[in-house]
């Protein structure tokens, strides 16, 4: 319980810091980068739910991100659907498409699943790139409106859009927190640890894997729709494999299978990338080795490494009194035997 309380305090502190960020940092560039980072975090949380807690690596999530973005753009610009209705429909459409793909993909396992979803993601990229009449192809898709007003709330300024994306991020983190510490979350972890053992316990692995996959697709499509409304221009590159591996990098560096991992990894990689911009094409000569060393020495990511270090300290602290008690009992026992030997000798 004490650990959960500490986590809640840290989470509350981070939310307060995010709320106060625009008040202390007035630079519009940093505000833009933080908003983009929040959108990436939502997408990485979707990937983390399925890869980190269910144990299946999907390489199609960049494609689902792009579908959510393009669906919002097409519905608002070409179909004239009101923004928030189009926003909901874009997420629902992507989620339903993910459910159909998941029904087929989840019949495969391990690396076969990863290869299948990689192919699906690349097919999505090709469709977006080649279907000029619908997506604009390599020319891109422009004219996407900013989020529409909700009563007195207006989202036309960068600060307002920052807080809008932050609200969605907090909602996603809260949903993940409640899910992970629920029976459903424990079921996903059981499947990750041993799918065969989960089957013997009576867990419907196919049903739970599909539910996890669909929810992860929903999170990713939500991030895509937010990205389209914030950037307001789309190109086929957002569905490319490189974006998928960016998501994986954020997750692996932060800590796969942890609640803090997507936040830590996304902020750290985004910050390092921006700091190394002056090196232009040569920045990967520094960024690559740093990332490699980080994965070697922190294979569970930064957040995962910190959690395991704390767990080891707690275990050592718990075992110390036990070891002292055993040592005292042995000392008393040996002293008793010594006294008996002395009596027998006299």
């Amino acid at each position: 319980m004490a650990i959960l309380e500490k986590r809640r305090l840290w989470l509350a502190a981070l939310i307060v810091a995010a709320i106060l960020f625009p008040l202390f940092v007035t630079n519009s560039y940093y505000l833009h980068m933080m908003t983009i980072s929040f959108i990436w975090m939502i997408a990485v949380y979707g990937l983390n739910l399925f890869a980190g807690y269910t144990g299946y690596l999907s390489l199609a999530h960049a494609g689902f991100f792009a579908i959510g973005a393009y669906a919002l753009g097409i519905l608002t610009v070409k179909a004239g659907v009101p923004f928030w209705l189009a926003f909901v429909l874009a997420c629902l459409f992507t989620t339903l498409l993910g459910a159909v793909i998941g029904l087929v993909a989840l019949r495969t396992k391990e690396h076969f699943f990863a290869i299948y979803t990689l192919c699906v993601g690349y097919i999505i990229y090709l469709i977006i790139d080649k279907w000029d009449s619908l997506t604009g192809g390599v020319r891109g898709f422009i004219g996407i409106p900013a989020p529409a007003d909700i009563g007195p709330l207006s989202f036309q300024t960068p600060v307002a859009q920052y807080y809008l994306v932050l609200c969605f991020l907090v909602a996603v983190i809260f949903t993940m927190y409640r899910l992970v510490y629920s029976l459903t979350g424990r079921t996903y972890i059981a499947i990750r640890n041993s799918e065969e053992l989960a089957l013997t316990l009576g867990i419907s692995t196919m049903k739970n894997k599909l539910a996890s996959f669909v929810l992860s697709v929903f999170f990713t499509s939500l991030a895509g729709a937010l990205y389209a409304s914030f950037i307001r221009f789309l190109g086929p590159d957002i569905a490319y494999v490189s974006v998928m591996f960016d998501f994986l990098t954020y997750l692996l560096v932060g800590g796969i299978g942890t609640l803090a991992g997507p936040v830590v990894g996304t902020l750290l990689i985004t910050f390092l990338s921006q700091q190394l911009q002056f090196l232009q094409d040569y920045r990967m000569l520094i960024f690559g080795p740093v990332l490699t060393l980080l994965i070697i020495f922190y294979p569970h990511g930064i957040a995962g490494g910190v959690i395991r270090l704390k767990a080891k300290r707690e275990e050592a602290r718990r075992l110390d009194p036990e070891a002292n008690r055993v040592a005292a009992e042995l000392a008393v026992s040996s002293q008793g035997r010594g006294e008996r030997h002395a009596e027998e000798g006299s």
Side-chain angles (χ1 to χ4, degrees):
M1 293 299 293
I3 295 176
L4 289 178
E5 289 297 330
K6 289 181 181 179
R7 289 177 181 174
R8 289 171 183 172
L9 288 174
W10 276 107
L11 181 59
L14 288 174
I15 292 173
V16 171
I19 292 173
L20 297 177
F21 181 81
L23 304 179
F24 293 96
V25 181
T26 56
N27 189 310
S28 59
Y29 175 75
Y30 290 120
L31 187 67
H32 176 87
M33 290 307 303
M34 283 298 292
T35 307
I36 289 294
S37 296
F38 290 165
I39 293 173
W40 296 142
M41 287 175 199
I42 295 173
V44 176
Y45 268 111
L47 181 63
N48 189 31
L49 173 62
F50 194 63
Y53 288 99
T54 313
Y56 276 69
L57 178 60
S58 169
L59 298 177
H61 273 54
F64 295 129
F65 178 88
I67 291 174
Y70 271 94
L72 177 69
I74 293 168
L75 287 171
T76 53
V77 175
K78 294 195 172 184
V81 179
F83 178 86
W84 289 111
L85 178 59
F87 189 90
V88 173
L89 291 176
C91 293
L92 289 178
F93 171 76
T94 310
T95 304
L96 288 174
L97 182 61
V100 174
I101 293 173
L103 283 171
V104 179
L106 288 170
R107 296 181 182 278
T108 60
K109 293 183 178 181
E110 299 174 351
H111 56 281
F112 297 107
F113 177 84
I115 293 171
Y116 181 87
T117 53
L118 177 63
C119 294
V120 169
Y122 193 69
I123 290 171
I124 293 172
Y125 164 74
L126 290 176
I127 292 173
I128 293 174
D129 186 59
K130 303 302 180 183
W131 199 348
D132 289 358
S133 60
L134 183 66
T135 65
V138 294
R139 297 189 308 275
F141 197 97
I142 61 175
I144 301 171
D149 298 346
I150 301 177
L153 298 177
S154 176
F155 304 106
Q156 303 304 311
T157 64
V159 175
Q161 292 176 8
Y162 169 89
Y163 283 119
L164 175 65
V165 176
L166 177 60
C167 288
F168 278 105
L169 175 61
V170 171
V172 168
I173 293 175
F174 177 76
T175 303
M176 283 288 296
Y177 178 85
R178 294 299 300 269
L179 181 65
V180 168
Y181 291 101
S182 68
L183 180 60
T184 302
R186 300 300 180 188
T187 302
Y188 295 161
I189 293 172
I191 295 173
R192 180 194 67 188
N193 293 338
S194 176
E195 190 169 341
E196 291 75 14
L197 179 59
L199 280 169
T200 61
L201 293 174
I203 295 175
S204 176
T205 56
M206 183 63 180
K207 178 181 176 181
N208 283 279
K209 288 188 298 183
L210 182 61
S212 176
F213 184 76
V214 169
L215 185 56
S216 71
V217 170
F218 173 77
F219 286 158
T220 308
S221 67
L222 174 64
L226 288 170
Y227 178 86
S229 65
F230 181 68
I231 300 299
R232 304 177 69 180
F233 168 81
L234 299 174
D237 288 346
I238 65 171
Y240 198 58
V241 178
S242 60
V243 176
M244 183 67 243
F245 286 104
D246 284 342
F247 291 165
L248 276 176
T249 302
Y250 299 152
L251 183 58
L252 292 175
V253 171
I256 188 170
T258 64
L259 285 175
V263 176
V264 174
T266 304
L267 287 179
L268 179 63
I269 298 301
T270 302
F271 175 79
L272 287 177
S273 299
Q274 294 305 311
Q275 294 302 312
L276 297 175
Q277 282 293 336
F278 70 95
L279 296 175
Q280 297 181 357
D281 294 337
Y282 297 100
R283 67 183 184 275
M284 290 306 296
L285 293 176
I286 297 176
F287 184 71
V290 170
L291 179 61
T292 302
L293 291 173
L294 189 63
I295 292 177
I296 290 173
F297 291 103
Y298 281 86
H300 300 288
I302 295 175
V306 171
I307 291 172
R308 280 165 173 77
L309 181 61
K310 288 182 177 179
K312 288 181 180 179
R313 288 179 177 177
E314 289 291 331
E315 183 69 14
R317 193 178 296 114
R318 185 183 66 82
L319 291 176
D320 277 344
E322 184 70 18
N324 292 334
R325 184 182 65 81
V326 173
E329 290 178 354
L330 290 174
V332 170
S333 176
S334 62
Q335 183 180 359
R337 286 196 299 269
E339 292 175 353
R340 286 195 300 270
H341 288 311
E343 290 176 357
E344 292 173 357
S346 62

